[in-house]
Amino acid sequence: MIHFTVVKGAVAYCRVSTKEQASTNNSLPVQESKFNDYCTRNHLSALISFVDKQSARNADERPEFQKMLAYCRKDKKNISCVVVADVSRLARNVVDQGTTIAELKKIGIQLVSIDEPIIDDTSAGRLAANLLASFNQFFSDSLSEKTKFRMQAGVKQGRWLWVAPIGYKNEAKTIVIDSERAPLVRKICSMTASRLAMSSDRSRHSV
């Protein structure tokens, strides 16, 4: 009887968390290229890539990350590993990283970090993963603190730091009336107020 060896495939998870990363070594095309190269070198089938394009501090707020985990649970027999460019793509806090690695391990799937090959299931590899998780969380927390401080300083200086509401437009760190949309907004508000008034009158007369 001839026995065939089943070659499992790899799943990629990619994420860009800042605009700066979109144009640097952590851009999505770079991450996907690293994944494809890894699969080629290790004779693995590149099964699917899950890509989160927006920033989120927690795993629950990343839809593609959740889809990746669901895919792994469903097709675990065909998956050898989940591949990330580096562990900061996987998580930016200690709890999320530890929980994810533990869940993948439980269903027989290894986490592979291309830029951090020291991470494995040895005691030294687990120590390296924990240290990297701590550094990544520190970086994320520190960046969040600096951003909040800068926003508070900007508000105190009278600057508008958000996208202008409809009827206004951003201009020179503040907002000004949008001459094209503002009249439409006024008209909509006026029509809404009129309908509410008419509805109120009907209610009074029907009593």
Side-chain angles (χ1 to χ4, degrees), residues 160-171 173-178 181 185:
W160 184 269
L161 306 176
W162 306 272
V163 176
I166 298 176
Y168 294 84
K169 60 183 180 180
N170 295 94
E171 185 176 293
K173 299 181 180 180
T174 185
I175 55 174
V176 297
I177 294 176
D178 187 333
R181 296 184 179 181
V185 174

Coordinates of all heavy atoms in Angstrom, one line a residue, residues 160-171 173-178 181 185:
W160 N -9.0 72.5 15.8 CA -10.0 71.5 15.5 C -9.2 70.2 15.0 O -8.6 70.3 14.0 CB -11.0 71.9 14.5 CG -12.1 70.9 14.3 CD1 -12.1 69.9 13.4 CD2 -13.3 70.7 15.1 NE1 -13.3 69.1 13.6 CE2 -14.0 69.6 14.6 CE3 -13.9 71.4 16.2 CZ2 -15.2 69.2 15.1 CZ3 -15.1 71.0 16.7 CH2 -15.8 69.9 16.1
L161 N -9.3 69.1 15.8 CA -8.4 68.0 15.5 C -9.2 66.8 14.8 O -8.6 65.7 14.6 CB -7.8 67.5 16.8 CG -7.0 68.5 17.6 CD1 -6.5 67.9 18.9 CD2 -5.9 69.1 16.8
W162 N -10.4 67.0 14.5 CA -11.2 65.9 13.9 C -11.7 66.3 12.5 O -11.6 67.4 12.0 CB -12.4 65.6 14.8 CG -12.0 65.4 16.2 CD1 -11.6 64.2 16.8 CD2 -11.9 66.3 17.3 NE1 -11.3 64.3 18.1 CE2 -11.4 65.6 18.4 CE3 -12.1 67.7 17.4 CZ2 -11.2 66.2 19.7 CZ3 -11.8 68.3 18.6 CH2 -11.4 67.6 19.7
V163 N -12.4 65.3 11.9 CA -13.0 65.6 10.6 C -14.2 66.5 10.8 O -15.0 66.3 11.7 CB -13.5 64.3 9.9 CG1 -14.2 64.6 8.6 CG2 -12.3 63.3 9.7
A164 N -14.3 67.6 10.0 CA -15.3 68.6 10.1 C -16.7 68.0 9.9 O -16.9 67.1 9.1 CB -15.1 69.7 9.1
P165 N -17.7 68.4 10.7 CA -19.0 67.9 10.5 C -19.6 68.4 9.2 O -19.1 69.4 8.6 CB -19.8 68.5 11.7 CG -19.0 69.7 12.1 CD -17.6 69.3 11.8
I166 N -20.6 67.7 8.7 CA -21.3 68.1 7.4 C -21.8 69.6 7.5 O -22.4 69.9 8.5 CB -22.4 67.2 7.1 CG1 -21.9 65.7 6.9 CG2 -23.1 67.6 5.8 CD1 -23.0 64.7 6.7
G167 N -21.4 70.3 6.5 CA -21.8 71.8 6.5 C -20.6 72.6 6.8 O -20.6 73.9 6.7
Y168 N -19.5 72.0 7.3 CA -18.2 72.7 7.6 C -17.1 71.9 6.8 O -17.3 70.8 6.3 CB -17.9 72.7 9.1 CG -18.9 73.5 9.9 CD1 -20.1 72.9 10.3 CD2 -18.6 74.8 10.2 CE1 -20.9 73.7 11.1 CE2 -19.5 75.6 11.0 CZ -20.6 75.0 11.4 OH -21.5 75.7 12.2
K169 N -15.9 72.5 6.7 CA -14.8 71.9 6.1 C -13.5 72.2 6.9 O -13.4 73.3 7.5 CB -14.6 72.3 4.7 CG -14.5 73.7 4.4 CD -14.4 74.0 2.9 CE -14.2 75.5 2.6 NZ -14.2 75.7 1.1
N170 N -12.6 71.3 6.9 CA -11.3 71.6 7.6 C -10.5 72.6 6.8 O -10.4 72.5 5.6 CB -10.5 70.3 7.7 CG -11.2 69.3 8.6 OD1 -12.0 68.4 8.1 ND2 -11.0 69.3 9.9
E171 N -9.9 73.5 7.6 CA -9.0 74.5 6.9 C -8.1 75.1 7.9 O -8.5 75.7 8.9 CB -9.9 75.6 6.3 CG -9.1 76.6 5.5 CD -10.0 77.6 4.8 OE1 -10.7 77.2 3.8 OE2 -9.9 78.8 5.1
K173 N -6.1 74.0 10.3 CA -6.2 73.5 11.7 C -7.5 74.0 12.4 O -7.5 74.0 13.7 CB -5.0 73.9 12.5 CG -3.7 73.2 12.0 CD -2.5 73.6 12.8 CE -1.2 73.0 12.2 NZ 0.0 73.3 13.0
T174 N -8.5 74.4 11.7 CA -9.7 74.8 12.3 C -10.8 74.4 11.3 O -10.6 73.6 10.3 CB -9.8 76.3 12.5 OG1 -11.0 76.6 13.2 CG2 -9.7 77.1 11.3
I175 N -12.1 74.8 11.5 CA -13.2 74.5 10.6 C -13.8 75.8 10.2 O -13.9 76.7 10.9 CB -14.2 73.5 11.2 CG1 -14.8 74.0 12.5 CG2 -13.6 72.1 11.4 CD1 -15.9 73.2 13.0
V176 N -14.3 75.8 8.9 CA -15.0 77.0 8.4 C -16.3 76.5 7.7 O -16.4 75.3 7.4 CB -14.1 77.8 7.4 CG1 -12.9 78.3 8.1 CG2 -13.7 76.9 6.2
I177 N -17.2 77.3 7.5 CA -18.5 77.0 6.9 C -18.2 76.6 5.4 O -17.5 77.2 4.7 CB -19.5 78.1 6.9 CG1 -19.9 78.4 8.4 CG2 -20.7 77.8 6.1 CD1 -20.8 79.6 8.6
D178 N -18.8 75.4 5.0 CA -18.7 75.0 3.6 C -19.8 75.7 2.8 O -21.0 75.4 3.0 CB -18.9 73.4 3.6 CG -18.7 72.8 2.2 OD1 -18.8 73.6 1.2 OD2 -18.3 71.6 2.2
R181 N -22.2 73.1 0.9 CA -23.0 72.2 1.7 C -23.8 72.8 2.8 O -24.9 72.3 3.1 CB -22.2 71.0 2.2 CG -21.5 70.2 1.2 CD -20.8 69.0 1.8 NE -20.2 68.1 0.8 CZ -19.5 67.1 1.1 NH1 -19.3 66.7 2.4 NH2 -18.9 66.3 0.2
V185 N -27.6 71.8 4.4 CA -27.8 71.4 5.8 C -28.9 72.3 6.4 O -29.8 71.8 7.1 CB -26.5 71.5 6.5 CG1 -26.7 71.2 8.0 CG2 -25.5 70.5 6.0

